[in-house]
């Protein structure tokens, strides 16, 4: 998961596509463009066979070169620019090319990427984009580095919301505890740990998960006041996250009610 700050100061968490996924999508695209290129050559060969005496050899070579450029440069650039970073291979594998700030690609980005597609993927036998993708944290190839783009995954597995209740022995403490200072990054890590609990809400069985819970609890305690009463680590984490969720929900409900009251007042005013 990569954090991106857009031009509007909005923080986005966009998962970068791996080198394997991007390589598979590129192979699908190249197969489609190669099939289109061979199909045009077959049609051109059938046409030139009937008019072999009237065709100039230089004109034939120019037509074949133009077809090559059309299929492997113009077509990828056009498809990527019109679809805002998509192609057939990326559509199948759920990948989209975006700018480094998370915005959609433009024509200039597609042109830079399209011009470098042939020397990268074909002339280097795929070694250059593979090497660049392995050395880059976002799996960028050389065309992405020059264009300022990278591939992101648009399909994410659905996760069930965490609906763990506040433990009974900590319910009184959560009513007076200050949990609003918990950082969002720490809260996300705690939520992921709690989601690994089974549906019955039993304590963590794995030793590795227990150590992770103890470490997260140690990071969480400085952000929570007053200190919690004696309880297990998992109960402490569950109480804080459940109360934090409940307070966010109540805050959202109050905001919606204020908006509804304001809307009713505005519609009740006489129009002049």
């Amino acid at each position: 998961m990569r954090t991106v700050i857009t031009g509007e100061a909005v923080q986005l968490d966009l998962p970068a596509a791996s080198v394997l996924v991007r390589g598979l999508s590129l192979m699908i695209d190249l197969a489609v463009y190669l099939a289109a290129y061979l199909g045009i050559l077959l049609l051109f060969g059938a046409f030139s066979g009937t008019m072999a005496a009237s065709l100039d050899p230089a004109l034939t070579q120019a037509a074949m070169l133009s077809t090559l450029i059309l299929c492997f440069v113009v077509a990828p650039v056009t498809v990527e620019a019109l679809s805002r970073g998509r192609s057939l291979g990326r559509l199948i594998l759920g990948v989209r090319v975006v700018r480094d700030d998370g915005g959609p690609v433009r024509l200039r980005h597609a042109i830079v990427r399209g011009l470098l597609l042939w020397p990268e993927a074909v002339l280097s036998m795929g070694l250059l984009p593979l090497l660049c993708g392995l050395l880059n944290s976002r799996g960028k190839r050389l065309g992405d580095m020059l264009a300022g783009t990278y591939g992101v995954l648009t399909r994410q597995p659905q996760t069930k919301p965490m609906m763990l209740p506040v433990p009974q022995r900590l319910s009184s403490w959560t009513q007076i505890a200050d949990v609003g200072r918990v950082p969002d990054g720490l809260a996300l890590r705690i939520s992921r740990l709690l989601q690994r609990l089974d549906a019955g809400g039993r304590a963590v069985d794995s030793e590795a998960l227990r150590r992770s819970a103890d470490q997260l609890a140690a990071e969480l305690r400085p952000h929570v006041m007053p200190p919690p009463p004696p309880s297990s680590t998992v109960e402490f984490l569950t109480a804080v996250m459940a109360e934090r969720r409940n307070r966010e929900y109540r805050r959202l409900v109050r905001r919606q009610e204020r908006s509804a009251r304001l809307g009713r007042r505005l519609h009740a005013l006489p129009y002049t």
Side-chain angles (χ1 to χ4, degrees):
M1 190 75 70
R2 303 295 174 183
T3 301
V4 176
I5 305 298
T6 65
E8 293 79 14
V10 178
Q11 181 174 331
L12 302 176
D13 290 330
L14 301 179
S18 63
V19 178
L20 179 60
V21 174
R22 296 200 61 186
L24 290 177
S25 65
L26 180 59
M27 291 176 61
I28 295 174
D29 292 336
L30 290 179
V32 172
Y33 297 138
L34 181 60
Y37 175 67
L38 294 179
I40 295 176
L41 287 185
L42 290 177
L43 293 177
F44 184 75
F47 174 76
S48 61
T50 59
M51 304 180 60
S54 60
L55 289 180
D56 187 5
L59 179 61
T60 303
Q61 294 180 0
M64 294 180 61
L65 181 60
S66 300
T67 304
L68 182 67
I69 296 175
L70 175 65
C71 292
F72 290 97
V73 178
V74 178
V77 169
T78 304
V79 170
E80 188 170 290
L82 294 179
S83 62
R84 298 297 181 89
R86 302 300 290 268
S87 65
L88 180 60
R90 300 186 198 118
L91 183 63
I92 294 175
L93 297 178
V95 180
R96 179 187 292 273
V97 175
V98 298
R99 302 195 307 262
D100 286 339
D101 60 355
V105 296
R106 305 296 184 185
L107 179 61
R108 57 186 178 88
H109 304 98
I111 290 177
V112 174
R113 288 171 43 82
L115 291 178
L116 292 175
L117 176 63
W118 178 261
E120 274 193 278
V122 180
L123 297 184
S124 67
M125 301 298 293
L127 295 179
L128 184 58
L130 177 61
L131 180 62
C132 294
L134 293 176
L135 295 178
N136 190 272
S137 60
R138 290 183 175 179
K140 291 186 175 186
R141 62 180 179 90
L142 184 60
D144 291 315
M145 297 179 185
L146 296 180
T149 58
Y150 74 108
V152 298
L153 296 175
T154 58
R155 300 172 188 167
Q156 295 295 321
Q158 295 183 354
T159 57
K160 296 181 179 180
M162 186 186 65
M163 299 301 295
L164 296 177
V166 177
Q168 185 65 30
R169 70 174 68 182
L170 297 178
S171 58
S172 300
W173 170 76
T174 55
Q175 300 300 319
I176 62 172
D178 181 11
V179 298
R181 299 180 299 170
V182 179
D184 293 336
L186 178 59
L188 179 60
R189 291 160 54 196
I190 297 175
S191 298
R192 290 176 177 174
L193 177 65
L194 294 178
Q195 286 174 355
R196 302 182 66 176
L197 296 174
D198 56 10
R202 295 193 298 269
V204 178
D205 297 327
S206 173
E207 183 65 26
L209 290 180
R210 186 178 294 108
R211 289 196 301 266
S212 299
D214 294 339
Q215 181 181 359
L216 291 175
E219 297 181 21
L220 179 63
R221 285 190 178 93
H223 302 285
V224 177
M225 291 298 293
S231 60
S232 66
T233 302
V234 176
E235 287 180 339
F236 169 57
L237 297 177
T238 302
V240 173
M241 297 309 300
E243 182 62 25
R244 193 171 186 264
R245 177 202 62 209
N246 295 338
R247 293 183 184 182
E248 289 293 334
Y249 175 75
R250 290 193 293 265
R251 185 180 299 110
L252 179 61
V253 170
R254 289 195 297 268
R255 184 181 305 172
Q256 292 177 346
E257 291 176 352
R258 287 196 300 267
S259 299
R261 288 196 300 268
L262 179 60
R264 290 193 295 268
R265 291 183 59 185
L266 291 176
H267 288 289
L269 292 177
Y271 294 95
T272 58

